[in-house]
Amino acid sequence: MSTGAENTENTARTPGRLTALLVDASTRAVGAAGGRVGGVYLRSATPGLLRLAVLSGLPGPLFRPWWRLHADSPFPVADAYRLGVRVVLPNAAETMRRYPQFAAGLPFPFGSLYVPVAGASRTYGVLTVLRLPAPDAADMLEGADLVAGLAQDLGAALERLDADGDAPPVAWEGEPLCVRPPASGRHPQLAGSFGWDPDTGAVTLDEPLCVLLGLPSSAAGAPAALGRLTGVLAPDDGHRIAAALRDTAAGRPPRLPLYVRTA
């Protein structure tokens, strides 16, 4: 993951939970819509100004003209945010017909999806996917529905984050985070499992998972504090797993899979 040079106070204080949520949503949206590029625009501290927060699959400088967009501008991201509707552009011809100013600056033709990311009381931004052109919008509706589900989950997660008094308001002030898209090739698959008791908070790991996480095999099968699992993950991902377990115990299981990294 690389970040730009611009780094305002709010961006520096943005919790890792926020960036993890945005990277996860953009990565999953690319897969759900059969896309090549994904991204998330978020509101900023400047009223009406949206900023590109995460870009997956393209170098950030290539999209520099669209790093910042006003909600009233004639662009699909702005319409999705301002009107609260999905915008589906299957190909270059439809993009030129509806958004000629946007299409004129594009480096190559593509189809695209733009879905608002909203909580119960406010809209936070827009989840977008760029993909190969399609004959018409009907060919992209299934992917659009899947991306809409991811946007809904992201909006709910951002709303919970916004309610956290220890975190700054959900907004973006810096340059976009540019991340690599998920690998398309198949890799050797390894699997492990664990159990968690919500009453006691104890976690039990099996031996394959201990191997995957770099823990000694002697740790397998012995109940331990949840920190045995979360402590070997990247700090932000450990928080996400703990939150996902609590939500599941409360009857609100997250959409799967959840992508995590070891420390």
Side-chain angles (χ1 to χ4, degrees):
M1 180 183 297
S2 61
T3 61
E6 182 181 352
N7 189 24
T8 65
E9 180 182 357
N10 190 62
T11 301
R13 293 174 58 235
T14 298
R17 286 182 293 169
L18 174 59
T19 57
L21 287 169
L22 300 180
V23 169
D24 189 53
S26 62
T27 299
R28 294 173 65 185
V30 169
R36 301 297 179 87
V37 180
V40 183
Y41 281 85
L42 283 186
R43 63 184 186 174
S44 70
T46 303
L49 181 66
L50 303 175
R51 286 181 178 267
L52 181 61
V54 168
L55 181 66
S56 172
L58 276 180
L62 190 63
F63 255 59
R64 185 179 289 272
W66 301 285
W67 280 7
R68 307 188 336 160
L69 291 173
H70 198 276
D72 290 329
S73 60
F75 291 92
V77 168
D79 280 357
Y81 178 83
R82 186 181 69 257
L83 302 176
V85 298
R86 288 188 276 181
V87 177
V88 180
L89 302 174
N91 49 51
E94 183 67 7
T95 304
M96 179 63 75
R97 185 184 72 82
R98 297 177 59 183
Y99 299 98
Q101 184 176 342
F102 175 51
L106 296 179
F108 46 81
F110 51 74
S112 53
L113 301 168
Y114 308 86
V115 181
V117 176
S121 59
R122 61 179 60 87
T123 300
Y124 289 99
V126 177
L127 180 60
T128 180
V129 176
L130 310 184
R131 48 157 288 163
L132 293 176
D136 57 56
D139 296 303
M140 297 173 59
L141 292 183
E142 181 179 358
D145 288 341
L146 294 173
V147 173
L150 295 171
Q152 182 179 5
D153 289 349
L154 178 59
L158 295 182
E159 190 164 55
R160 290 193 295 272
L161 191 60
D162 232 0
D164 183 352
D166 295 330
V170 172
W172 198 267
E173 296 300 329
E175 295 184 358
L177 300 176
C178 299
V179 300
R180 293 181 181 273
S184 58
R186 293 187 61 85
H187 298 279
Q189 302 294 303
L190 301 174
S193 63
F194 68 91
W196 177 67
D197 186 334
D199 293 327
T200 65
V203 64
T204 305
L205 286 61
D206 68 6
E207 187 171 354
L209 184 58
C210 288
V211 173
L212 281 171
L213 297 177
L215 293 170
S217 58
S218 59
L226 182 58
R228 171 167 290 178
L229 172 61
T230 60
V232 296
L233 301 176
D236 303 333
D237 292 345
H239 291 310
R240 293 174 60 225
I241 288 295
L245 290 173
R246 290 193 296 269
D247 287 346
T248 300
R252 302 187 305 270
R255 289 179 183 265
L256 300 177
L258 295 177
Y259 297 95
V260 297
R261 302 154 294 171
T262 59

